[in-house]
Amino acid sequence: MSTEEKVASHYTHGSLETAILQTLAADGKDIDNLRIRDLADIDEFHLGRHAATVDFARDLDLSAGLRLADIGSGLGGPARHFADSYGCIVSGVDLTEEFVQVANSLTVRCGLADQVAFRQGSALALPFESGSFDRATLIHVGMNIEDKARLFSEVRRILKPGGRFGLYEIMQMRDGTLPFPMPWAMEQETSFVRSPDVYRHLLAEAGFTVELEQDRSALVIRLAHEARARAAAAGEVRDQGVRTLMGPRAGERMSNVNVSVEGGLLAPIEMIARAV
């Protein structure tokens, strides 16, 4: 299999929508009339979850009517937030067909299908016309993409001059060996974590100027500690939504990334770059 086929296979669940709807129904949610907040523990699997999405969206300077491409859109949580909170028109693209199907279904159930739509495709050959977007986002996606130069060139192609590209990526901050499995890869073969220096260099080569960069580790560590404390106090299993998506090794995978962030080996880095 190609790297992209291996990545898509890694994320494919097989009966993900059924599992998600069963989890929501068990929590007392009306699955035929969902609200975005009903999905808070289900549809955002990046570090910092919804709190990180809220801050990220604010930094992107979003407003009603802007066209936004969400690349590697997953189950669609951030895309739905951009549309619901700011009035953006969002087009999501993801490599994994099952994610696309579930993202579209959840969007319909939330009543946002007129603002948000998802399609299957590769970030290295985006299925969009040149210069057709005001914003583009990449949230915890680059770790699975080796050819970041081509990725950033494609993003620059679809953005209008002056458009903004927001990245929220896990990056490597010092030398060291990553512990596997990780949320994005079971082994090194499909993991392509790089440093902020590499991102900055490749963004500049693709025609971007980085206007904002910040390390979100403190937020992620604080929220992880709070979640552990709440689960311990309630005697509950943590991150049921994550376990629904990742399966029986979810705890090990999340522990590995959290330990790596707390130890300074990895960091969730936000960058906002302008297309020049």
Side-chain angles (χ1 to χ4, degrees):
M1 289 192 293
S2 68
T3 297
E4 286 193 335
E5 288 170 334
K6 290 175 182 176
V7 170
S9 177
H10 169 79
Y11 288 109
T12 298
H13 180 283
S15 55
L16 183 58
E17 183 174 8
T18 297
I20 288 173
L21 294 178
Q22 287 175 343
T23 298
L24 291 169
D27 287 341
K29 305 296 191 298
D30 179 358
I31 61 173
D32 294 319
N33 295 284
L34 291 172
R35 296 164 295 180
I36 285 182
R37 63 177 177 269
D38 293 334
L39 301 173
D41 294 328
I42 296 289
D43 65 351
E44 296 194 51
F45 290 103
H46 50 272
L47 297 182
R49 302 285 189 87
H50 187 62
T53 298
V54 170
D55 290 347
F56 181 56
R58 188 180 301 120
D59 293 338
L60 276 166
D61 189 26
L62 302 178
S63 60
L66 288 181
R67 292 200 64 204
L68 185 151
D70 187 18
I71 302 158
S73 46
L75 299 182
R80 286 186 287 271
H81 174 73
F82 302 149
D84 185 62
S85 295
Y86 293 92
C88 296
I89 307 302
V90 186
S91 298
V93 60
D94 200 277
L95 195 60
T96 305
E97 182 64 47
E98 186 178 28
F99 278 10
V100 172
Q101 183 271 317
V102 175
N104 278 319
S105 176
L106 293 176
T107 299
V108 169
R109 291 174 185 271
C110 288
L112 288 170
D114 59 337
Q115 287 179 257
V116 188
F118 304 89
R119 67 174 76 177
Q120 193 277 335
S122 169
L124 301 180
L126 291 170
F128 304 124
E129 295 182 3
S130 299
S132 55
F133 289 93
D134 305 289
R135 301 287 186 272
T137 53
L138 189 79
I139 303 175
H140 284 30
V141 175
M143 304 94 70
N144 285 128
I145 298 177
E146 184 174 18
D147 192 352
K148 293 178 178 56
R150 183 175 171 186
L151 165 65
F152 297 158
S153 177
E154 271 293 276
V155 176
R156 178 62 190 87
R157 179 184 66 79
I158 68 169
L159 276 176
K160 299 174 183 177
R164 286 188 170 84
F165 177 26
L167 306 89
Y168 180 48
E169 293 280 276
I170 295 177
M171 302 186 194
Q172 188 152 349
M173 307 305 287
R174 58 175 174 80
D175 291 339
T177 301
L178 300 187
F180 286 91
M182 284 289 192
W184 61 90
M186 299 303 288
E187 54 191 21
Q188 181 66 50
E189 183 183 15
T190 54
S191 178
F192 307 102
V193 181
R194 299 293 182 260
S195 69
D197 284 343
V198 169
Y199 273 78
R200 287 187 219 105
H201 172 71
L202 294 177
L203 284 166
E205 284 198 336
F208 288 100
T209 298
V210 176
E211 297 184 325
L212 173 68
E213 179 178 334
Q214 53 184 334
D215 184 334
R216 307 309 308 273
S217 294
L219 170 69
V220 167
I221 292 169
R222 176 176 62 80
L223 292 176
H225 287 180
E226 290 175 356
R228 283 197 292 269
R230 285 195 303 270
E236 299 173 347
V237 176
R238 287 183 60 224
D239 295 330
Q240 185 58 48
V242 170
R243 293 174 188 276
T244 298
L245 178 64
M246 293 188 188
R249 298 186 71 182
E252 180 185 5
R253 294 161 69 182
M254 290 305 300
S255 177
N256 281 341
V257 71
N258 286 331
V259 166
S260 297
V261 171
E262 292 200 30
L265 176 62
L266 299 176
I269 302 293
E270 177 189 326
M271 292 180 177
I272 306 294
R274 180 172 54 86
V276 295

